[in-house]
Amino acid sequence: MTSDTTTQAADSLVGIKPGAKLTRQSFPVLEMTCAACAISIESMLNNTPGVAKATVNYANQSATVEYDPKAITPAGMQQALQSVGYDLVVDLEDPQAVQQEAQQRHYESLKKRTLWAGILSVPVVVLGMFFMDRDAGPLPYVNWIMMALSAPVVFWLGRSYFVNAWKQARHGKTNMDTLVALSTGIAFLFSAFNTLNPEFWHRQGMSMHSHVYFESAAVVIAFISLGKLLEERAKSNTSSALKKLVGLQPKTVRIIENGQERELPIASVQVGQIILVRPGEKIPVDGEIESGESFVDESMISGEAIPVTKQAGATVFAGTINQKGAFRFTAQKVGGNTILAQIIHLVREAQGSKAPVQKLVDKIAGIFVPVVLGIALLTFGVWIVFGGDSAFTHALLTSVTVLVIACPCALGLATPTAIMVGVGKGADNNILIKDAESLELGHKVNALVLDKTGTITAGKPIVTNLNWRVAESEIPMLVPVLYALESQSEHPLADAVINYLKTTGVTGSQLDRFESLTGRGVSGSIGVTLYLAGNDRLLAERGIAVEPSLQTLAVDWQQNAQTVVYFADESRVLAVLAIADPVKETSREAIHTLRKQGIAVYMLTGDNEQTAKAVASAVGITEYQAGTLPTDKADFVKQLQAQGKVVAMVGDGINDSLALAQADVSIAIGRGSDIAMDVAKMTLITSDLNSIPKALQLSKKTVQTIRQNLFWAFIYNLIGIPIAAGLLYPINGFLLNPMIAGAAMALSSVSVVTNSLRLRAVKL
């Protein structure tokens, strides 16, 4: 259960004062049995005083509600739903666990009811097919036997359909249970009447026989129960990615308190506590290592298979796996604040979000049941008028069959199941999808805007070249001096030099004097010798000449987007270094793939023209802009949109957040800023840009699946309902048996979910 707070002017909302602070919270929902149930719950919540907006997702059995906590409590919403036969899980530490337990109990109960319905229905079908009208034969009481066997199927094993239909009717609502209860109830009661009064119709002067439809009533319940059982199993499979993520969280942790080791449930961990992690264990929360060192498998977050070295001061993340050494770390982010918890939250939110096409489907599902009831009544009336000698029998049979075959479940499941599987598939491929809209729009993208630093490049400068201009024998004495100068420098590029020199095992010399020269570099002395590290301006100020060959080398480096740093003494250049933010190895490949797909790729950067040109050239981008401010990036996206393009923006920094918010599809790099990830609709938890074409391909496949699901759901009902109403009877005398209609209805829902599950096998 997750929540956040927003402020909204709510003049038109019932029970909410203007300017009230609204809380947005997600709750697991229990007792939902069909897509129409979701519409009923949504309608009930939206009409509850104090609720601003509610959306209900049938596929993941959840409701997301924006409400005024001063006007209504979660318990009040729960009470409103309980009055119509549903329930809301509220005020618990782990509502998802409660929901899963309830769903598991429901599944086990449904499995038992389905099994018994099948066992009791089989002899009813056999008797109905082979021993009908044989009261004088070897089974003189066949109708009575069928009634005795089918009664518990309809009214005990299928009682939930009648109970739920009654609760809906009390509030003037209908759902799938209404159709099932009416069709099976009418079929059973009509059959029971004929069994108790076999001569009634003859006494009324009608030539019709006392037909019974016990087998139809029983088998419809059995088939629908089987369909729901398969549907429940399939829906649980669509959330497997989320369950895997939840499984990354350890249940308990070891804390060190007053020198003593103590085990606690993970929910009890507090910020600032010292936690011990042993080899092979999962890291429970986010924090900073206090002592010890190890290698940690961070592939869950970074996508990189190579374990990362961790020492004192390094950051560790929940869900990652400690490899060899043991260490202690200080908890900094616990509970819902850890990166893993945020990932789980994003996946859960995304799986519950609705694609734009789903809004239309919801409206259709909401009016579907009343329309079907109208068609059933019309069918009954037409057959009564034009049915001839068997008018009443045919009227009853066809109207019952219409009620049985109509299936809003397939329609309601078409979009959310595909979205759920698509989001889960994305999570498996290091792509976190925040909402369904971005997943639906992704396949339409024809313009992609990339930030440079941290997106195309690694975002971490390194020394790419070090050229010494002194005798080889002097180098060992000068390296410690350069290390000492850079160690005290505040310049962002100094770390690149330090990290480079560390690989040689150097230790810094002791400087007698140090001075930072803003905009030029640093200086320091050892004894009477002065040393300098900085740019060409610093050398010019001190009158130190740079020989032509060295100038040519420096210009060549600068043209390739590398920063030049000179190391000198008072009279000569001792060495020259090139520092660059390297282009990621996969950037060129990803950009080439995107351009092959017909997507125009642009690069925006706040860096200078020379660097921008070099990086763009290195990765094959022909259109770029340098020196852009955050507003410039957003304006550039607007310009592309004004040209009719569907624009995706990819960035990692706070400066990208405006453009990310403006874009049709926004994608953040997972190692970027929190703000960028909050704004973006998708987040790549790997730095590999090859995930972008994968995300767009996933969008295409998901939308294809949604369209397939909707097509078959609509076709099923468009064909099935007229046939059930007896459209073919005047042509070839065919009337659809309600038993076959029940099987077809169950199959339609299962087929939609199964088609969605095929997404899991798609190769991105």
Side-chain angles (χ1 to χ4, degrees), residues 176 178-186 220 224 368-369 371-377 379 396-408 721 724-725 741 745:
M176 191 62 206
T178 308
L179 296 183
V180 176
L182 281 173
S183 60
T184 57
I186 291 171
V220 164
I224 290 175
F368 185 88
V369 174
V371 168
V372 169
L373 290 175
I375 293 173
L377 288 173
T379 300
L396 182 67
L397 182 65
T398 52
S399 57
V400 166
T401 307
V402 167
L403 293 173
V404 170
I405 201 168
C407 184
I721 291 176
M745 193 217 70

PDB file of all heavy atoms in Angstrom, residues 176 178-186 220 224 368-369 371-377 379 396-408 721 724-725 741 745:
ATOM      1  N   MET A 176     -20.883  -9.468 -14.123  1.00  0.00           N
ATOM      2  CA  MET A 176     -20.902 -10.783 -14.762  1.00  0.00           C
ATOM      3  C   MET A 176     -21.683 -11.796 -13.925  1.00  0.00           C
ATOM      4  O   MET A 176     -22.349 -12.690 -14.464  1.00  0.00           O
ATOM      5  CB  MET A 176     -19.456 -11.252 -14.956  1.00  0.00           C
ATOM      6  CG  MET A 176     -19.311 -12.470 -15.835  1.00  0.00           C
ATOM      7  SD  MET A 176     -19.914 -12.139 -17.502  1.00  0.00           S
ATOM      8  CE  MET A 176     -20.355 -13.792 -17.980  1.00  0.00           C
ATOM      9  N   THR A 178     -24.327 -11.261 -12.375  1.00  0.00           N
ATOM     10  CA  THR A 178     -25.747 -11.075 -12.691  1.00  0.00           C
ATOM     11  C   THR A 178     -26.157 -11.975 -13.853  1.00  0.00           C
ATOM     12  O   THR A 178     -27.205 -12.640 -13.811  1.00  0.00           O
ATOM     13  CB  THR A 178     -26.018  -9.606 -13.056  1.00  0.00           C
ATOM     14  OG1 THR A 178     -25.507  -8.749 -12.024  1.00  0.00           O
ATOM     15  CG2 THR A 178     -27.503  -9.360 -13.240  1.00  0.00           C
ATOM     16  N   LEU A 179     -25.321 -12.001 -14.893  1.00  0.00           N
ATOM     17  CA  LEU A 179     -25.613 -12.849 -16.056  1.00  0.00           C
ATOM     18  C   LEU A 179     -25.625 -14.320 -15.674  1.00  0.00           C
ATOM     19  O   LEU A 179     -26.516 -15.081 -16.087  1.00  0.00           O
ATOM     20  CB  LEU A 179     -24.570 -12.617 -17.153  1.00  0.00           C
ATOM     21  CG  LEU A 179     -24.496 -11.219 -17.784  1.00  0.00           C
ATOM     22  CD1 LEU A 179     -23.459 -11.203 -18.895  1.00  0.00           C
ATOM     23  CD2 LEU A 179     -25.844 -10.810 -18.325  1.00  0.00           C
ATOM     24  N   VAL A 180     -24.623 -14.730 -14.908  1.00  0.00           N
ATOM     25  CA  VAL A 180     -24.512 -16.146 -14.534  1.00  0.00           C
ATOM     26  C   VAL A 180     -25.690 -16.559 -13.661  1.00  0.00           C
ATOM     27  O   VAL A 180     -26.317 -17.607 -13.868  1.00  0.00           O
ATOM     28  CB  VAL A 180     -23.175 -16.411 -13.809  1.00  0.00           C
ATOM     29  CG1 VAL A 180     -23.110 -17.861 -13.322  1.00  0.00           C
ATOM     30  CG2 VAL A 180     -21.998 -16.116 -14.721  1.00  0.00           C
ATOM     31  N   ALA A 181     -26.020 -15.721 -12.664  1.00  0.00           N
ATOM     32  CA  ALA A 181     -27.105 -16.052 -11.738  1.00  0.00           C
ATOM     33  C   ALA A 181     -28.444 -16.138 -12.473  1.00  0.00           C
ATOM     34  O   ALA A 181     -29.229 -17.074 -12.255  1.00  0.00           O
ATOM     35  CB  ALA A 181     -27.172 -15.010 -10.627  1.00  0.00           C
ATOM     36  N   LEU A 182     -28.715 -15.171 -13.354  1.00  0.00           N
ATOM     37  CA  LEU A 182     -29.976 -15.181 -14.092  1.00  0.00           C
ATOM     38  C   LEU A 182     -30.083 -16.393 -15.013  1.00  0.00           C
ATOM     39  O   LEU A 182     -31.111 -17.085 -15.047  1.00  0.00           O
ATOM     40  CB  LEU A 182     -30.117 -13.891 -14.905  1.00  0.00           C
ATOM     41  CG  LEU A 182     -30.556 -12.639 -14.142  1.00  0.00           C
ATOM     42  CD1 LEU A 182     -30.480 -11.418 -15.045  1.00  0.00           C
ATOM     43  CD2 LEU A 182     -31.967 -12.804 -13.596  1.00  0.00           C
ATOM     44  N   SER A 183     -29.023 -16.652 -15.784  1.00  0.00           N
ATOM     45  CA  SER A 183     -29.087 -17.735 -16.770  1.00  0.00           C
ATOM     46  C   SER A 183     -29.222 -19.098 -16.109  1.00  0.00           C
ATOM     47  O   SER A 183     -30.096 -19.898 -16.481  1.00  0.00           O
ATOM     48  CB  SER A 183     -27.848 -17.704 -17.672  1.00  0.00           C
ATOM     49  OG  SER A 183     -26.668 -17.866 -16.915  1.00  0.00           O
ATOM     50  N   THR A 184     -28.378 -19.363 -15.123  1.00  0.00           N
ATOM     51  CA  THR A 184     -28.433 -20.690 -14.486  1.00  0.00           C
ATOM     52  C   THR A 184     -29.660 -20.821 -13.591  1.00  0.00           C
ATOM     53  O   THR A 184     -30.282 -21.895 -13.526  1.00  0.00           O
ATOM     54  CB  THR A 184     -27.151 -20.951 -13.664  1.00  0.00           C
ATOM     55  OG1 THR A 184     -26.993 -19.902 -12.695  1.00  0.00           O
ATOM     56  CG2 THR A 184     -25.934 -20.996 -14.554  1.00  0.00           C
ATOM     57  N   GLY A 185     -30.018 -19.733 -12.909  1.00  0.00           N
ATOM     58  CA  GLY A 185     -31.191 -19.780 -12.021  1.00  0.00           C
ATOM     59  C   GLY A 185     -32.469 -20.024 -12.798  1.00  0.00           C
ATOM     60  O   GLY A 185     -33.304 -20.868 -12.416  1.00  0.00           O
ATOM     61  N   ILE A 186     -32.647 -19.294 -13.916  1.00  0.00           N
ATOM     62  CA  ILE A 186     -33.858 -19.467 -14.738  1.00  0.00           C
ATOM     63  C   ILE A 186     -33.902 -20.871 -15.338  1.00  0.00           C
ATOM     64  O   ILE A 186     -34.953 -21.537 -15.337  1.00  0.00           O
ATOM     65  CB  ILE A 186     -33.905 -18.393 -15.840  1.00  0.00           C
ATOM     66  CG1 ILE A 186     -34.157 -17.014 -15.211  1.00  0.00           C
ATOM     67  CG2 ILE A 186     -34.984 -18.716 -16.869  1.00  0.00           C
ATOM     68  CD1 ILE A 186     -33.997 -15.862 -16.186  1.00  0.00           C
ATOM     69  N   VAL A 220     -22.808 -24.997 -16.997  1.00  0.00           N
ATOM     70  CA  VAL A 220     -22.432 -23.579 -17.090  1.00  0.00           C
ATOM     71  C   VAL A 220     -21.664 -23.163 -15.838  1.00  0.00           C
ATOM     72  O   VAL A 220     -20.615 -22.513 -15.912  1.00  0.00           O
ATOM     73  CB  VAL A 220     -23.679 -22.692 -17.299  1.00  0.00           C
ATOM     74  CG1 VAL A 220     -23.363 -21.225 -16.999  1.00  0.00           C
ATOM     75  CG2 VAL A 220     -24.185 -22.826 -18.723  1.00  0.00           C
ATOM     76  N   ILE A 224     -17.796 -22.070 -16.077  1.00  0.00           N
ATOM     77  CA  ILE A 224     -17.430 -20.714 -15.652  1.00  0.00           C
ATOM     78  C   ILE A 224     -16.451 -20.787 -14.482  1.00  0.00           C
ATOM     79  O   ILE A 224     -15.493 -20.024 -14.413  1.00  0.00           O
ATOM     80  CB  ILE A 224     -18.685 -19.900 -15.284  1.00  0.00           C
ATOM     81  CG1 ILE A 224     -19.474 -19.595 -16.558  1.00  0.00           C
ATOM     82  CG2 ILE A 224     -18.312 -18.603 -14.580  1.00  0.00           C
ATOM     83  CD1 ILE A 224     -20.793 -18.908 -16.311  1.00  0.00           C
ATOM     84  N   PHE A 368     -21.958  -2.972 -20.655  1.00  0.00           N
ATOM     85  CA  PHE A 368     -22.087  -4.256 -21.340  1.00  0.00           C
ATOM     86  C   PHE A 368     -23.208  -5.113 -20.740  1.00  0.00           C
ATOM     87  O   PHE A 368     -24.068  -5.628 -21.461  1.00  0.00           O
ATOM     88  CB  PHE A 368     -20.752  -4.994 -21.277  1.00  0.00           C
ATOM     89  CG  PHE A 368     -20.724  -6.286 -22.046  1.00  0.00           C
ATOM     90  CD1 PHE A 368     -20.376  -6.310 -23.385  1.00  0.00           C
ATOM     91  CD2 PHE A 368     -21.046  -7.491 -21.437  1.00  0.00           C
ATOM     92  CE1 PHE A 368     -20.352  -7.496 -24.097  1.00  0.00           C
ATOM     93  CE2 PHE A 368     -21.023  -8.681 -22.133  1.00  0.00           C
ATOM     94  CZ  PHE A 368     -20.673  -8.676 -23.471  1.00  0.00           C
ATOM     95  N   VAL A 369     -23.194  -5.270 -19.406  1.00  0.00           N
ATOM     96  CA  VAL A 369     -24.165  -6.160 -18.762  1.00  0.00           C
ATOM     97  C   VAL A 369     -25.599  -5.670 -18.956  1.00  0.00           C
ATOM     98  O   VAL A 369     -26.481  -6.455 -19.346  1.00  0.00           O
ATOM     99  CB  VAL A 369     -23.821  -6.352 -17.270  1.00  0.00           C
ATOM    100  CG1 VAL A 369     -24.914  -7.154 -16.571  1.00  0.00           C
ATOM    101  CG2 VAL A 369     -22.477  -7.056 -17.122  1.00  0.00           C
ATOM    102  N   VAL A 371     -26.777  -3.938 -21.397  1.00  0.00           N
ATOM    103  CA  VAL A 371     -27.096  -4.153 -22.812  1.00  0.00           C
ATOM    104  C   VAL A 371     -27.422  -5.623 -23.067  1.00  0.00           C
ATOM    105  O   VAL A 371     -28.386  -5.961 -23.772  1.00  0.00           O
ATOM    106  CB  VAL A 371     -25.930  -3.685 -23.714  1.00  0.00           C
ATOM    107  CG1 VAL A 371     -26.120  -4.178 -25.146  1.00  0.00           C
ATOM    108  CG2 VAL A 371     -25.828  -2.169 -23.697  1.00  0.00           C
ATOM    109  N   VAL A 372     -26.607  -6.520 -22.483  1.00  0.00           N
ATOM    110  CA  VAL A 372     -26.851  -7.960 -22.660  1.00  0.00           C
ATOM    111  C   VAL A 372     -28.201  -8.357 -22.069  1.00  0.00           C
ATOM    112  O   VAL A 372     -28.948  -9.148 -22.665  1.00  0.00           O
ATOM    113  CB  VAL A 372     -25.706  -8.778 -22.024  1.00  0.00           C
ATOM    114  CG1 VAL A 372     -26.070 -10.258 -21.967  1.00  0.00           C
ATOM    115  CG2 VAL A 372     -24.423  -8.590 -22.815  1.00  0.00           C
ATOM    116  N   LEU A 373     -28.551  -7.813 -20.902  1.00  0.00           N
ATOM    117  CA  LEU A 373     -29.859  -8.104 -20.310  1.00  0.00           C
ATOM    118  C   LEU A 373     -30.974  -7.642 -21.241  1.00  0.00           C
ATOM    119  O   LEU A 373     -31.989  -8.337 -21.420  1.00  0.00           O
ATOM    120  CB  LEU A 373     -29.985  -7.407 -18.950  1.00  0.00           C
ATOM    121  CG  LEU A 373     -29.108  -7.963 -17.826  1.00  0.00           C
ATOM    122  CD1 LEU A 373     -29.232  -7.105 -16.573  1.00  0.00           C
ATOM    123  CD2 LEU A 373     -29.482  -9.403 -17.500  1.00  0.00           C
ATOM    124  N   GLY A 374     -30.765  -6.479 -21.866  1.00  0.00           N
ATOM    125  CA  GLY A 374     -31.755  -5.986 -22.818  1.00  0.00           C
ATOM    126  C   GLY A 374     -31.886  -6.905 -24.023  1.00  0.00           C
ATOM    127  O   GLY A 374     -33.011  -7.189 -24.481  1.00  0.00           O
ATOM    128  N   ILE A 375     -30.732  -7.385 -24.538  1.00  0.00           N
ATOM    129  CA  ILE A 375     -30.755  -8.305 -25.684  1.00  0.00           C
ATOM    130  C   ILE A 375     -31.456  -9.608 -25.306  1.00  0.00           C
ATOM    131  O   ILE A 375     -32.233 -10.168 -26.097  1.00  0.00           O
ATOM    132  CB  ILE A 375     -29.324  -8.578 -26.185  1.00  0.00           C
ATOM    133  CG1 ILE A 375     -28.721  -7.301 -26.790  1.00  0.00           C
ATOM    134  CG2 ILE A 375     -29.308  -9.708 -27.219  1.00  0.00           C
ATOM    135  CD1 ILE A 375     -27.251  -7.425 -27.149  1.00  0.00           C
ATOM    136  N   ALA A 376     -31.197 -10.087 -24.090  1.00  0.00           N
ATOM    137  CA  ALA A 376     -31.829 -11.333 -23.631  1.00  0.00           C
ATOM    138  C   ALA A 376     -33.352 -11.168 -23.559  1.00  0.00           C
ATOM    139  O   ALA A 376     -34.111 -12.053 -23.985  1.00  0.00           O
ATOM    140  CB  ALA A 376     -31.272 -11.731 -22.273  1.00  0.00           C
ATOM    141  N   LEU A 377     -33.818 -10.036 -23.031  1.00  0.00           N
ATOM    142  CA  LEU A 377     -35.265  -9.784 -22.957  1.00  0.00           C
ATOM    143  C   LEU A 377     -35.869  -9.652 -24.356  1.00  0.00           C
ATOM    144  O   LEU A 377     -36.966 -10.170 -24.632  1.00  0.00           O
ATOM    145  CB  LEU A 377     -35.530  -8.508 -22.147  1.00  0.00           C
ATOM    146  CG  LEU A 377     -35.287  -8.609 -20.635  1.00  0.00           C
ATOM    147  CD1 LEU A 377     -35.410  -7.237 -19.985  1.00  0.00           C
ATOM    148  CD2 LEU A 377     -36.278  -9.587 -20.001  1.00  0.00           C
ATOM    149  N   THR A 379     -34.669 -10.996 -27.095  1.00  0.00           N
ATOM    150  CA  THR A 379     -34.659 -12.351 -27.674  1.00  0.00           C
ATOM    151  C   THR A 379     -35.862 -13.152 -27.186  1.00  0.00           C
ATOM    152  O   THR A 379     -36.552 -13.821 -27.973  1.00  0.00           O
ATOM    153  CB  THR A 379     -33.351 -13.080 -27.293  1.00  0.00           C
ATOM    154  OG1 THR A 379     -32.248 -12.337 -27.792  1.00  0.00           O
ATOM    155  CG2 THR A 379     -33.322 -14.489 -27.863  1.00  0.00           C
ATOM    156  N   LEU A 396     -37.050 -19.275 -23.874  1.00  0.00           N
ATOM    157  CA  LEU A 396     -36.286 -19.456 -22.639  1.00  0.00           C
ATOM    158  C   LEU A 396     -34.862 -19.904 -22.940  1.00  0.00           C
ATOM    159  O   LEU A 396     -33.883 -19.362 -22.394  1.00  0.00           O
ATOM    160  CB  LEU A 396     -36.986 -20.490 -21.754  1.00  0.00           C
ATOM    161  CG  LEU A 396     -36.310 -20.750 -20.400  1.00  0.00           C
ATOM    162  CD1 LEU A 396     -36.410 -19.532 -19.516  1.00  0.00           C
ATOM    163  CD2 LEU A 396     -36.940 -21.958 -19.709  1.00  0.00           C
ATOM    164  N   LEU A 397     -34.727 -20.879 -23.834  1.00  0.00           N
ATOM    165  CA  LEU A 397     -33.412 -21.438 -24.152  1.00  0.00           C
ATOM    166  C   LEU A 397     -32.483 -20.370 -24.737  1.00  0.00           C
ATOM    167  O   LEU A 397     -31.341 -20.225 -24.319  1.00  0.00           O
ATOM    168  CB  LEU A 397     -33.567 -22.596 -25.134  1.00  0.00           C
ATOM    169  CG  LEU A 397     -32.279 -23.323 -25.539  1.00  0.00           C
ATOM    170  CD1 LEU A 397     -31.670 -24.023 -24.341  1.00  0.00           C
ATOM    171  CD2 LEU A 397     -32.552 -24.319 -26.649  1.00  0.00           C
ATOM    172  N   THR A 398     -32.999 -19.605 -25.701  1.00  0.00           N
ATOM    173  CA  THR A 398     -32.144 -18.610 -26.364  1.00  0.00           C
ATOM    174  C   THR A 398     -31.783 -17.461 -25.425  1.00  0.00           C
ATOM    175  O   THR A 398     -30.644 -16.990 -25.418  1.00  0.00           O
ATOM    176  CB  THR A 398     -32.831 -18.055 -27.618  1.00  0.00           C
ATOM    177  OG1 THR A 398     -34.150 -17.608 -27.279  1.00  0.00           O
ATOM    178  CG2 THR A 398     -32.911 -19.107 -28.710  1.00  0.00           C
ATOM    179  N   SER A 399     -32.724 -17.007 -24.616  1.00  0.00           N
ATOM    180  CA  SER A 399     -32.415 -15.895 -23.705  1.00  0.00           C
ATOM    181  C   SER A 399     -31.410 -16.322 -22.649  1.00  0.00           C
ATOM    182  O   SER A 399     -30.511 -15.559 -22.278  1.00  0.00           O
ATOM    183  CB  SER A 399     -33.691 -15.358 -23.050  1.00  0.00           C
ATOM    184  OG  SER A 399     -34.374 -16.382 -22.355  1.00  0.00           O
ATOM    185  N   VAL A 400     -31.547 -17.568 -22.156  1.00  0.00           N
ATOM    186  CA  VAL A 400     -30.563 -18.099 -21.198  1.00  0.00           C
ATOM    187  C   VAL A 400     -29.185 -18.202 -21.850  1.00  0.00           C
ATOM    188  O   VAL A 400     -28.160 -17.854 -21.262  1.00  0.00           O
ATOM    189  CB  VAL A 400     -31.022 -19.474 -20.660  1.00  0.00           C
ATOM    190  CG1 VAL A 400     -29.867 -20.181 -19.951  1.00  0.00           C
ATOM    191  CG2 VAL A 400     -32.186 -19.291 -19.705  1.00  0.00           C
ATOM    192  N   THR A 401     -29.157 -18.676 -23.096  1.00  0.00           N
ATOM    193  CA  THR A 401     -27.881 -18.829 -23.796  1.00  0.00           C
ATOM    194  C   THR A 401     -27.206 -17.476 -24.025  1.00  0.00           C
ATOM    195  O   THR A 401     -25.988 -17.343 -23.903  1.00  0.00           O
ATOM    196  CB  THR A 401     -28.092 -19.545 -25.147  1.00  0.00           C
ATOM    197  OG1 THR A 401     -28.796 -20.759 -24.918  1.00  0.00           O
ATOM    198  CG2 THR A 401     -26.756 -19.867 -25.804  1.00  0.00           C
ATOM    199  N   VAL A 402     -27.999 -16.447 -24.353  1.00  0.00           N
ATOM    200  CA  VAL A 402     -27.445 -15.093 -24.512  1.00  0.00           C
ATOM    201  C   VAL A 402     -26.789 -14.639 -23.211  1.00  0.00           C
ATOM    202  O   VAL A 402     -25.680 -14.087 -23.200  1.00  0.00           O
ATOM    203  CB  VAL A 402     -28.542 -14.093 -24.943  1.00  0.00           C
ATOM    204  CG1 VAL A 402     -28.057 -12.649 -24.789  1.00  0.00           C
ATOM    205  CG2 VAL A 402     -28.954 -14.350 -26.374  1.00  0.00           C
ATOM    206  N   LEU A 403     -27.482 -14.875 -22.098  1.00  0.00           N
ATOM    207  CA  LEU A 403     -26.936 -14.473 -20.798  1.00  0.00           C
ATOM    208  C   LEU A 403     -25.640 -15.220 -20.483  1.00  0.00           C
ATOM    209  O   LEU A 403     -24.707 -14.673 -19.902  1.00  0.00           O
ATOM    210  CB  LEU A 403     -27.963 -14.731 -19.687  1.00  0.00           C
ATOM    211  CG  LEU A 403     -29.237 -13.880 -19.725  1.00  0.00           C
ATOM    212  CD1 LEU A 403     -30.223 -14.361 -18.673  1.00  0.00           C
ATOM    213  CD2 LEU A 403     -28.905 -12.412 -19.497  1.00  0.00           C
ATOM    214  N   VAL A 404     -25.589 -16.496 -20.881  1.00  0.00           N
ATOM    215  CA  VAL A 404     -24.422 -17.322 -20.564  1.00  0.00           C
ATOM    216  C   VAL A 404     -23.215 -16.952 -21.423  1.00  0.00           C
ATOM    217  O   VAL A 404     -22.091 -16.840 -20.931  1.00  0.00           O
ATOM    218  CB  VAL A 404     -24.761 -18.820 -20.746  1.00  0.00           C
ATOM    219  CG1 VAL A 404     -23.494 -19.672 -20.666  1.00  0.00           C
ATOM    220  CG2 VAL A 404     -25.741 -19.258 -19.674  1.00  0.00           C
ATOM    221  N   ILE A 405     -23.439 -16.737 -22.723  1.00  0.00           N
ATOM    222  CA  ILE A 405     -22.300 -16.595 -23.636  1.00  0.00           C
ATOM    223  C   ILE A 405     -21.650 -15.212 -23.561  1.00  0.00           C
ATOM    224  O   ILE A 405     -20.472 -15.039 -23.864  1.00  0.00           O
ATOM    225  CB  ILE A 405     -22.714 -16.903 -25.085  1.00  0.00           C
ATOM    226  CG1 ILE A 405     -21.483 -17.272 -25.921  1.00  0.00           C
ATOM    227  CG2 ILE A 405     -23.453 -15.730 -25.718  1.00  0.00           C
ATOM    228  CD1 ILE A 405     -21.806 -17.861 -27.275  1.00  0.00           C
ATOM    229  N   ALA A 406     -22.448 -14.184 -23.174  1.00  0.00           N
ATOM    230  CA  ALA A 406     -21.908 -12.818 -23.125  1.00  0.00           C
ATOM    231  C   ALA A 406     -20.799 -12.736 -22.090  1.00  0.00           C
ATOM    232  O   ALA A 406     -20.962 -13.191 -20.964  1.00  0.00           O
ATOM    233  CB  ALA A 406     -23.028 -11.846 -22.779  1.00  0.00           C
ATOM    234  N   CYS A 407     -19.657 -12.144 -22.484  1.00  0.00           N
ATOM    235  CA  CYS A 407     -18.498 -12.159 -21.588  1.00  0.00           C
ATOM    236  C   CYS A 407     -17.761 -10.823 -21.571  1.00  0.00           C
ATOM    237  O   CYS A 407     -16.931 -10.552 -22.436  1.00  0.00           O
ATOM    238  CB  CYS A 407     -17.529 -13.261 -22.000  1.00  0.00           C
ATOM    239  SG  CYS A 407     -16.134 -13.420 -20.877  1.00  0.00           S
ATOM    240  N   PRO A 408     -18.040  -9.956 -20.581  1.00  0.00           N
ATOM    241  CA  PRO A 408     -17.261  -8.728 -20.466  1.00  0.00           C
ATOM    242  C   PRO A 408     -15.863  -8.965 -19.895  1.00  0.00           C
ATOM    243  O   PRO A 408     -15.016  -8.090 -19.959  1.00  0.00           O
ATOM    244  CB  PRO A 408     -18.101  -7.873 -19.512  1.00  0.00           C
ATOM    245  CG  PRO A 408     -18.809  -8.862 -18.658  1.00  0.00           C
ATOM    246  CD  PRO A 408     -19.084 -10.042 -19.540  1.00  0.00           C
ATOM    247  N   ILE A 721     -23.138 -13.654 -29.422  1.00  0.00           N
ATOM    248  CA  ILE A 721     -24.458 -13.236 -28.920  1.00  0.00           C
ATOM    249  C   ILE A 721     -25.563 -13.439 -29.964  1.00  0.00           C
ATOM    250  O   ILE A 721     -26.621 -13.996 -29.640  1.00  0.00           O
ATOM    251  CB  ILE A 721     -24.403 -11.774 -28.406  1.00  0.00           C
ATOM    252  CG1 ILE A 721     -23.545 -11.721 -27.125  1.00  0.00           C
ATOM    253  CG2 ILE A 721     -25.800 -11.235 -28.125  1.00  0.00           C
ATOM    254  CD1 ILE A 721     -23.327 -10.328 -26.569  1.00  0.00           C
ATOM    255  N   ALA A 724     -26.287 -17.108 -30.177  1.00  0.00           N
ATOM    256  CA  ALA A 724     -26.985 -17.540 -28.965  1.00  0.00           C
ATOM    257  C   ALA A 724     -28.448 -17.123 -28.995  1.00  0.00           C
ATOM    258  O   ALA A 724     -29.327 -17.821 -28.472  1.00  0.00           O
ATOM    259  CB  ALA A 724     -26.293 -16.956 -27.734  1.00  0.00           C
ATOM    260  N   ALA A 725     -28.734 -15.968 -29.620  1.00  0.00           N
ATOM    261  CA  ALA A 725     -30.115 -15.474 -29.696  1.00  0.00           C
ATOM    262  C   ALA A 725     -30.958 -16.256 -30.705  1.00  0.00           C
ATOM    263  O   ALA A 725     -32.173 -16.051 -30.785  1.00  0.00           O
ATOM    264  CB  ALA A 725     -30.112 -13.991 -30.055  1.00  0.00           C
ATOM    265  N   ALA A 741     -22.305 -22.742 -24.681  1.00  0.00           N
ATOM    266  CA  ALA A 741     -22.105 -21.307 -24.503  1.00  0.00           C
ATOM    267  C   ALA A 741     -21.249 -21.026 -23.266  1.00  0.00           C
ATOM    268  O   ALA A 741     -20.373 -20.148 -23.276  1.00  0.00           O
ATOM    269  CB  ALA A 741     -23.450 -20.606 -24.376  1.00  0.00           C
ATOM    270  N   MET A 745     -17.668 -19.090 -23.207  1.00  0.00           N
ATOM    271  CA  MET A 745     -17.433 -17.904 -22.389  1.00  0.00           C
ATOM    272  C   MET A 745     -16.176 -18.046 -21.547  1.00  0.00           C
ATOM    273  O   MET A 745     -15.349 -17.136 -21.458  1.00  0.00           O
ATOM    274  CB  MET A 745     -18.631 -17.644 -21.482  1.00  0.00           C
ATOM    275  CG  MET A 745     -18.614 -16.275 -20.845  1.00  0.00           C
ATOM    276  SD  MET A 745     -19.220 -16.256 -19.167  1.00  0.00           S
ATOM    277  CE  MET A 745     -17.909 -17.124 -18.329  1.00  0.00           C
TER     278      MET A 745
END
